[in-house]
Amino acid sequence: MRNADADRAGGSTEAVFRARGVTKVYDMGEVRVHALRGVDLDLYPGELVVLLGPSGSGKSTLLNILGGLDTATGGTVEYRGKELTRATDRELTEYRRRHVGFVFQFYNLIPSLTSLENVSVVTDIAAEPMRPEEALALVGLADRRNHFPAQLSGGEQQRVAIARAVAKRPSVLLCDEPTGALDAATGIVVLEVLERINRELGTTTALITHNADIAGMADRVVRVGSGVIQSVERNERKKSPREMRW
Amino acid sequence: MKTLRTKLFRDLWGMKGQALAIAMVIVSGVATYVISVSTLDSLRETRAAFYRDYRFAELFVSLKRAPESVAESARAIPGVDRVETRVAAWANLDVPGFPEPIRGLVVSVPDAGEPAMNALHLRAGRNVAPGRDDEVVASEAFAQAHRLRPGDRIGAVIHGKRKALRLVGIGLSPEHVYEVGPGAVFPDPKRYGVLWMGRKALAAGYGMEGAFNDLCATLAPGASRQDAIDRLDALLSPYGGLGAYARDDQVSHRYLTEEFRQLGTLAEIFPVIFLGVAAFLLNVVVGRLVSLQRDQVGILKAFGYPNAAIGMHYVKLIVLIVLVGVAGGIGVGAWLGRGMTRMYMAFYRFPYLHYELRASVAATAALVSVASAVVGALQAVRKAARMTPAEAMRPEPPGRFRVTLVERLGLRRILSQPARMIARNVARRPVKSALSMLGIGFACAILMLGNVQEDAVGFMVDTQFRLAQREDMTVVFVEPASARALSELRSLPGVRHGEPYRTVPARLRFGHRSYRTAVQGFPRDGGVLHRVLDTRLQPVAMPREGILMTDYLAERLGLRTGDRVTVEFLEGSRPIRDVPVAGLVGEYFGVNAYMDLYALNRLLGEGNAISGAFLSADREDRQGVYDALKEMPGVAGTVVREDAIRSFYDSMGGTLLLFTFVITLLAGSVAFGVVYNSARIALSERSRELASLRVLGFTRGEISYILLGELGVLTLAAIPLGFLIAQGITAYIAERMKSDLYRVPMVMEWSSYGFAAAVVIVAALLSGLLVRRRLDRLDLVAVLKTKE
Ligand SMILES: Nc1ncnc2c1ncn2[C@@H]1O[C@H](COP(=O)(O)OP(=O)(O)OP(=O)(O)O)[C@@H](O)[C@H]1O
Ligand SMILES: [Mg+2]
């Protein structure tokens, strides 16, 4: 909450993230894959941004770099004035631990831990977390707390992953297709959770999706294509998740 | 970080089978180390205590005969502390119901009071009563071999006179811990025994009243040993002194030291190999186990767990497994070590057992195991932690695609689809495949090490007793005799053949190095019975001039064929002669110098003397010959060849072969642990891929074939590699074990190769079966649902 307050105090002009000329090249020996070809992007405090784009356009790559999970090949990324692209491993670890909540595209739960424990793994080291049970309840999985990932459906695993991301009350929330495996009803529940966190805690949120409808709940919609930002639109009126069609 | 702890125990539980297999390898490695070192420590400690408590002498000398008054002059020698004179006599013993000849050494004990040194430890009965001339205390080994108890009677021929003796006690002496007859290498307590008799009684029977023929002394602190020896020699040489010597040349002590040294070598080599293999395996297995969790390292990193905390998590996991292994290893090692030490106690004659397991030994074992595991774990964690979380969370790329041998050789058309997958998998991960092979190869090699010892011993005995010493018995004269004595022996009824020999104690000197042994003389034309062989097992003829010697002796003295060696004879007029070295012979037992019989006698200036003879006799005539020999006053004793072979095996059977058995057992568990771990890890690494194949329509048999086929290929390739490693290690052991007692040749029987290969293959089959069961139960849905 301290972070959220700070975000507001900083004023809406001061960007939380400033990405300039970010490139990412995967060197695979004979082939070099240019996943990002010079991305400029600012994310502002408390806003909810949706990233849209075709498969393979570089959305996950960009989000990973913002979250400090991956390093850029070129360009700079600043988080509140601190350059992530120059941070040491230790500083990046500290950054992820204190500020970032991440939902991975492939959930990445720890198979030997139950749902509840998968959440506790994060709250154990967070400063002011929710209780893990509370986080699970938010995504409607309170009664599955003692099940292992292998005993959950794909969508349930995805919801555990979301509970895990929000449980630490992060200052930024980065979600890679958080509703990809969910039906309309569950998807809406999850999106409501994300929206509430964004609204109540002022968490800066970036959300990747293939569903253009979901874009309606964003403050801004960023379209990514072939490794560059193609357009940024501001929504005049934010839809609430309940108004969405799947 | 409570949740991490939960994960720790759950992961541990999930891999319990594999953890157990890893622990088993550590148990074996640590146990080998603990057994070897603690056994050796205990033996050394026990010997030191026995020497101290029973006042083992420091200088020894035999002589022909000197009046008791000479002892005073000996005491006056500077540096000499205490002096004890004794009478020692060779005897032929007669135990009722035992037909073969027995050599005995009868040593005097003071009629009143304790001996100043070389005290007896009484096991049963009592000491000889003063004034009794028919009472003896017998050495425990001898008494046990014949089931003699205090009160039993035995006969003895001492100095040609028959005497009935009564056993009153059974004892042990620091002088005869390793109780071995003259010229023999291994104890034969049925045919050689030591008796202790009252000084007066023995002197009377041996013509030594008021005189002595044996002297022991202790040194004053800080005295020069060599100086004391030189002065003793000067004092006693007019009395036929045979040269004083220190403990280093005392038979029992020297053999013990030699055996301890060899045991020490084994105690050094085997644990290093075993612990090394265990450590290597740990390192590899742990590395691969952690690599399996590289995506989880990525996740933890992504949430902001610092590298140190993640490293610690895996270190704890591994250390828990290792500590179970270490604790088990120390337990098993202490238990077997105590057992082994007890076996050695029975072989060497010590009155008590000091089993000692130093804390530092246990600590070293724990440290080596934990360190190698932790290093392996940290390497893998570091590798995963160096990646960005995004990279670590992606499945590991299967390595660059390369055109493998399969494609290049055009095997494509010959091999089936699964067979091609096997070939590609092996070729595409060369380091992993090589490490697996090396691990299994080492397991195979250590399985051979035990048996190789047996092979070598069998080969040594075969060459020694079937090719070199083919006589049925060796007759030893009391004193050098003329050729007439030989004709007398040859004319005994039943004797088919007889060959003379001469043996003269001597010190060989070359430069500043010297060695005390005996020069043996054989007729030049070569014997039919007793022959000297070269390394190619061909008989060597005695040179007309010069001396032949064991190559090992030449090495110790640092001389070569053609050099002149100084021979100081320790008998008769004790001449000192320079003799050219005419050649070297490669022998496995003992350290010998040979000359032509006549050339030797010429050097000594003694006419045609012989020290004894080698005889052959038909089996049914032998008893008659033994009986006749017992009656001959000039005969000091008879050694029967077959007994020598048997005694060799008896003693070897008790010690080396026991060690071998234990080692082989531990090696077996290492082999199984290595193979099983390789299979299990391969399964964990590939289960996802294999499940996908199953989904695509491959049958259970086919995916088993792909995984187990790979294991099979690696195992089969590892076996010849193991043979090579075993040869290397064996050559090294043989080199390190060389001693003047014997040199173990490098002999490896087919059966040893077969055994090692068979155990490895059985371990592979068993592991395959266990893994196959898991493959059959592979939960396709669960595997595909989680992760990625
Ligand atoms: N580790 C990697 N090695 C090589 N190429 C990669 C790697 N990760 C991503 N790429 C490539 O980079 C490009 C961008 O990938 P990214 O995962 O960012 O796409 P995306 O927009 O998230 O797609 P999707 O919607 O399918 O998830 C793709 O062409 C992909 O093939
Ligand atoms: Mg993506």
Side-chain angles (χ1 to χ4, degrees):
Chain A
M1 268 190 261
R2 183 168 37 80
N3 295 330
D5 291 342
D7 285 344
R8 287 200 189 108
S12 56
T13 47
E14 197 61 39
V16 178
F17 285 106
R18 265 170 76 92
R20 289 294 174 272
V22 174
T23 59
K24 177 74 183 179
V25 181
Y26 290 106
D27 193 347
M28 321 240 308
E30 303 93 66
V31 216
R32 289 154 65 87
V33 178
H34 291 264
L36 296 179
R37 301 163 186 271
V39 169
D40 297 334
L41 184 66
D42 290 324
L43 295 186
Y44 297 99
E47 74 170 339
L48 196 159
V49 173
V50 163
L51 298 169
L52 276 178
S55 175
S57 57
K59 306 180 296 292
S60 296
T61 306
L62 178 59
L63 209 66
N64 284 345
I65 291 173
L66 294 182
L69 301 183
D70 211 345
T71 50
T73 311
T76 56
V77 178
E78 279 175 20
Y79 172 75
R80 291 209 180 112
K82 274 213 217 65
E83 226 179 289
L84 293 183
T85 29
R86 281 205 178 160
T88 61
D89 186 65
R90 188 182 296 267
E91 286 164 345
L92 276 181
T93 300
E94 192 57 24
Y95 161 65
R96 293 190 299 260
R97 179 173 182 157
R98 301 236 334 244
H99 304 291
V100 185
F102 213 106
V103 181
F104 309 110
Q105 185 170 5
F106 303 111
Y107 331 144
N108 293 86
L109 300 180
I110 293 175
S112 55
L113 296 181
T114 62
S115 319
L116 190 73
E117 289 158 354
N118 261 292
V119 178
S120 322
V121 139
V122 175
T123 55
D124 276 355
I125 56 166
E128 292 166 41
M130 307 177 193
R131 287 188 307 112
E133 294 84 350
E134 197 184 325
L136 274 185
L138 279 179
V139 295
L141 282 179
D143 53 336
R144 307 300 298 271
R145 50 196 268 181
N146 290 327
H147 289 133
F148 288 97
Q151 298 166 321
L152 299 174
S153 75
E156 285 160 349
Q157 291 183 45
Q158 191 162 38
R159 279 143 73 195
V160 174
I162 290 162
R164 183 173 63 176
V166 300
K168 75 201 269 188
R169 304 185 211 269
S171 30
V172 297
L173 194 50
L174 307 173
C175 310
D176 197 342
E177 299 190 35
T179 56
L182 304 182
D183 61 280
T186 328
I188 287 167
V189 171
V190 166
L191 289 175
E192 274 175 346
V193 170
L194 295 178
E195 198 211 9
R196 209 173 84 211
I197 300 273
N198 169 256
R199 183 161 30 83
E200 290 176 2
L201 305 179
T203 305
T204 309
T205 307
L207 202 152
I208 294 176
T209 178
H210 284 287
N211 186 337
D213 233 27
I214 294 181
M217 69 184 270
D219 292 306
R220 288 190 300 154
V221 179
V222 176
R223 286 184 193 276
V224 183
S226 313
V228 292
I229 308 282
Q230 293 181 322
S231 68
V232 181
E233 293 162 34
R234 182 167 291 276
N235 274 334
E236 292 313 320
R237 193 188 76 88
K238 276 167 77 176
K239 278 195 244 170
S240 94
R242 233 180 308 255
E243 299 170 53
M244 276 163 210
R245 297 209 340 261
W246 222 254
Chain B
M1 312 218 192
K2 224 180 75 234
T3 316
L4 269 196
R5 193 158 356 135
T6 311
K7 170 167 150 39
L8 180 75
F9 287 112
R10 225 171 262 144
D11 285 349
L12 201 56
W13 182 248
M15 54 183 273
K16 54 187 179 301
Q18 212 173 340
L20 223 63
I22 294 175
M24 194 165 84
V25 173
I26 303 173
V27 166
S28 303
V30 170
T32 312
Y33 178 68
V34 168
I35 291 171
S36 308
V37 178
S38 70
T39 303
L40 192 63
D41 280 350
S42 308
L43 285 174
R44 288 208 172 112
E45 181 55 38
T46 304
R47 182 177 76 171
F50 189 29
Y51 280 4
R52 191 175 55 239
D53 298 350
Y54 289 84
R55 305 184 295 282
F56 186 38
E58 287 167 283
L59 294 180
F60 309 82
V61 56
S62 301
L63 48 142
K64 216 160 171 94
R65 182 196 161 97
E68 190 59 34
S69 56
V70 173
E72 274 320 308
S73 318
R75 270 183 201 108
I77 290 175
V80 168
D81 184 21
R82 314 178 76 179
V83 166
E84 170 114 331
T85 63
R86 301 188 297 189
V87 176
W90 290 111
N92 275 329
L93 305 182
D94 221 343
V95 173
F98 189 74
E100 294 167 39
I102 305 167
R103 285 202 89 186
L105 173 65
V106 189
V107 182
S108 69
V109 288
D111 286 313
E114 278 276 296
M117 57 201 82
N118 301 331
L120 277 182
H121 171 86
L122 272 185
R123 280 282 220 214
R126 56 169 173 84
N127 265 314
V128 177
R132 297 299 303 252
D133 71 345
D134 63 341
E135 291 186 356
V136 289
V137 171
S139 64
E140 186 188 48
F142 173 70
Q144 268 176 5
H146 291 285
R147 297 168 188 281
L148 294 174
R149 261 179 284 264
D152 288 348
R153 297 188 167 275
I154 56 173
V157 179
I158 304 172
H159 210 49
K161 272 172 282 180
R162 180 165 292 283
K163 208 165 164 59
L165 300 174
R166 204 159 66 85
L167 218 81
V168 295
I170 292 169
L172 297 172
S173 156
E175 231 182 330
H176 301 283
V177 175
Y178 193 93
E179 195 171 318
V180 60
V185 175
F186 289 92
D188 183 4
K190 268 202 145 70
R191 292 164 199 88
Y192 175 75
V194 180
L195 301 177
W196 290 272
M197 201 179 191
R199 170 80 179 261
K200 263 215 181 70
L202 184 57
Y206 206 49
M208 285 277 169
E209 285 109 333
F212 65 93
N213 69 350
D214 188 276
L215 181 145
C216 306
T218 55
L219 286 168
S224 154
R225 201 165 62 178
Q226 195 50 49
D227 190 52
I229 287 176
D230 291 343
R231 284 165 193 263
L232 262 181
D233 280 350
L235 173 70
L236 295 177
S237 94
Y239 304 101
L242 289 178
Y245 51 89
R247 280 183 185 179
D248 296 342
D249 281 323
Q250 201 267 343
V251 174
S252 165
H253 179 82
R254 192 163 69 92
Y255 278 35
L256 276 184
T257 306
E258 223 15 89
E259 292 255 316
F260 287 6
R261 192 180 67 79
Q262 296 196 339
L263 213 60
T265 306
L266 288 184
E268 219 174 90
I269 297 175
F270 276 96
V272 165
I273 294 170
F274 271 65
L275 259 191
V277 170
F280 170 76
L281 175 83
L282 262 183
N283 191 289
V284 172
V285 165
V286 161
R288 287 171 74 174
L289 273 179
V290 174
S291 304
L292 275 177
Q293 295 217 347
R294 101 184 193 147
D295 63 317
Q296 301 189 28
V297 173
I299 298 170
L300 293 175
K301 251 182 90 104
F303 292 136
Y305 277 86
N307 291 347
I310 300 173
M312 219 27 228
H313 171 66
Y314 288 101
V315 165
K316 277 187 204 152
L317 176 77
I318 296 313
V319 166
L320 273 178
I321 299 176
V322 173
L323 284 185
V324 169
V326 169
I330 291 174
V332 169
W335 179 62
L336 285 176
R338 188 177 281 274
M340 289 273 274
T341 310
R342 207 168 279 140
M343 295 277 314
Y344 280 116
M345 290 301 144
F347 181 56
Y348 308 118
R349 295 291 162 171
F350 289 120
Y352 35 60
L353 166 95
H354 279 281
Y355 182 71
E356 180 165 303
L357 172 54
R358 278 178 289 146
S360 65
V361 173
T364 307
L367 210 70
V368 170
S369 313
V370 169
S372 54
V374 165
V375 167
L378 285 183
Q379 271 169 351
V381 172
R382 175 125 29 90
K383 208 172 130 212
R386 247 205 327 257
M387 291 182 244
T388 61
E391 200 179 344
M393 278 155 65
R394 272 194 295 268
E396 197 169 356
R400 297 264 159 76
F401 179 80
R402 257 185 270 157
V403 182
T404 58
L405 221 53
V406 188
E407 276 82 12
R408 234 179 289 152
L409 294 180
L411 293 179
R412 230 196 143 85
R413 259 161 290 144
I414 311 169
L415 297 178
S416 65
Q417 174 67 23
R420 253 180 288 158
M421 292 184 74
I422 293 175
R424 239 180 251 137
N425 280 328
V426 172
R428 210 173 284 161
R429 289 179 303 183
V431 175
K432 211 173 268 182
S433 304
L435 285 180
S436 295
M437 245 174 73
L438 201 61
I440 300 175
F442 262 107
C444 175
I446 59 178
L447 272 166
M448 292 190 66
L449 293 184
N451 290 323
V452 163
Q453 304 289 318
E454 264 188 81
D455 293 349
V457 166
F459 179 81
M460 285 162 73
V461 171
D462 233 47
T463 50
Q464 187 73 9
F465 293 112
R466 289 186 222 300
L467 295 174
Q469 300 180 8
R470 305 196 299 177
E471 65 275 6
D472 293 319
M473 61 197 91
T474 306
V475 177
V476 185
F477 294 155
V478 174
E479 280 178 326
S482 70
R484 269 246 319 279
L486 178 64
S487 338
E488 231 174 279
L489 289 178
R490 279 179 176 150
S491 62
L492 283 178
V495 170
R496 287 167 61 96
H497 198 84
E499 289 172 10
Y501 70 85
R502 180 86 170 93
T503 172
V504 189
R507 186 178 289 281
L508 304 186
R509 242 182 236 291
F510 185 73
H512 60 283
R513 303 190 209 181
S514 75
Y515 191 85
R516 193 176 194 275
T517 176
V519 178
Q520 301 182 40
F522 299 131
R524 180 167 47 242
D525 38 1
V528 183
L529 301 178
H530 197 92
R531 308 186 299 181
V532 177
L533 302 177
D534 64 18
T535 29
R536 273 161 297 137
L537 306 181
Q538 295 305 309
V540 179
M542 289 298 131
R544 195 175 295 273
E545 298 279 337
I547 197 166
L548 286 179
M549 66 175 74
T550 315
D551 49 5
Y552 183 71
L553 177 55
E555 206 178 290
R556 291 231 350 200
L557 291 175
L559 52 68
R560 274 179 303 186
T561 305
D563 287 337
R564 294 184 78 86
V565 63
T566 308
V567 183
E568 304 173 16
F569 291 106
L570 301 172
E571 204 183 274
S573 57
R574 309 173 60 116
I576 299 176
R577 300 275 187 267
D578 271 359
V579 188
V581 177
L584 306 181
V585 289
E587 292 177 305
Y588 301 126
F589 285 98
V591 163
N592 302 298
Y594 303 102
M595 288 184 75
D596 170 51
L597 179 60
Y598 299 100
L600 176 58
N601 275 328
R602 215 168 35 245
L603 271 187
L604 287 161
E606 279 188 359
N608 277 342
I610 59 174
S611 310
F614 303 118
L615 302 181
S616 68
D618 286 335
R619 190 170 295 277
E620 59 274 18
D621 298 331
R622 282 183 204 158
Q623 194 53 53
V625 178
Y626 299 152
D627 293 343
L629 286 172
K630 278 186 198 172
E631 298 306 321
M632 295 176 76
V635 170
T638 308
V639 178
V640 179
R641 184 191 72 143
E642 251 169 51
D643 310 338
I645 301 180
R646 221 173 311 137
S647 78
F648 181 88
Y649 270 118
D650 283 351
S651 50
M652 286 305 257
T655 55
L656 184 62
L657 301 187
L658 175 83
F659 186 69
T660 296
F661 175 73
V662 170
I663 287 292
T664 304
L665 212 69
L666 294 175
S669 68
V670 169
F672 180 79
V674 171
V675 176
Y676 180 69
N677 270 305
S678 303
R680 275 304 301 276
I681 293 199
L683 173 67
S684 317
E685 285 170 349
R686 311 271 304 278
S687 61
R688 181 165 207 86
E689 179 189 340
L690 295 175
S692 312
L693 288 178
R694 284 274 285 125
V695 173
L696 295 180
F698 278 66
T699 63
R700 278 184 188 155
E702 278 166 336
I703 62 160
S704 302
Y705 178 67
I706 291 171
L707 185 73
L708 299 180
E710 189 178 333
L711 178 69
V713 167
L714 290 180
T715 304
L716 290 181
I719 289 173
L721 178 71
F723 291 164
L724 279 179
I725 297 173
Q727 279 174 2
I729 297 174
T730 308
Y732 178 71
I733 293 181
E735 187 56 39
R736 289 282 312 270
M737 293 271 281
K738 273 187 177 174
S739 80
D740 42 0
L741 282 189
Y742 52 82
R743 273 79 52 197
V744 181
M746 252 204 72
V747 182
M748 293 171 137
E749 299 283 347
W750 285 113
S751 60
S752 301
Y753 288 107
F755 172 77
V759 172
V760 169
I761 288 172
V762 166
L765 287 179
L766 223 67
S767 309
L769 226 68
L770 288 172
V771 167
R772 169 77 205 237
R773 280 215 349 239
R774 286 181 173 266
L775 271 180
D776 286 349
R777 284 187 318 214
L778 202 58
D779 184 344
L780 301 186
V781 183
V783 169
L784 295 180
K785 204 161 71 176
T786 52
K787 250 179 26 177
E788 282 162 61

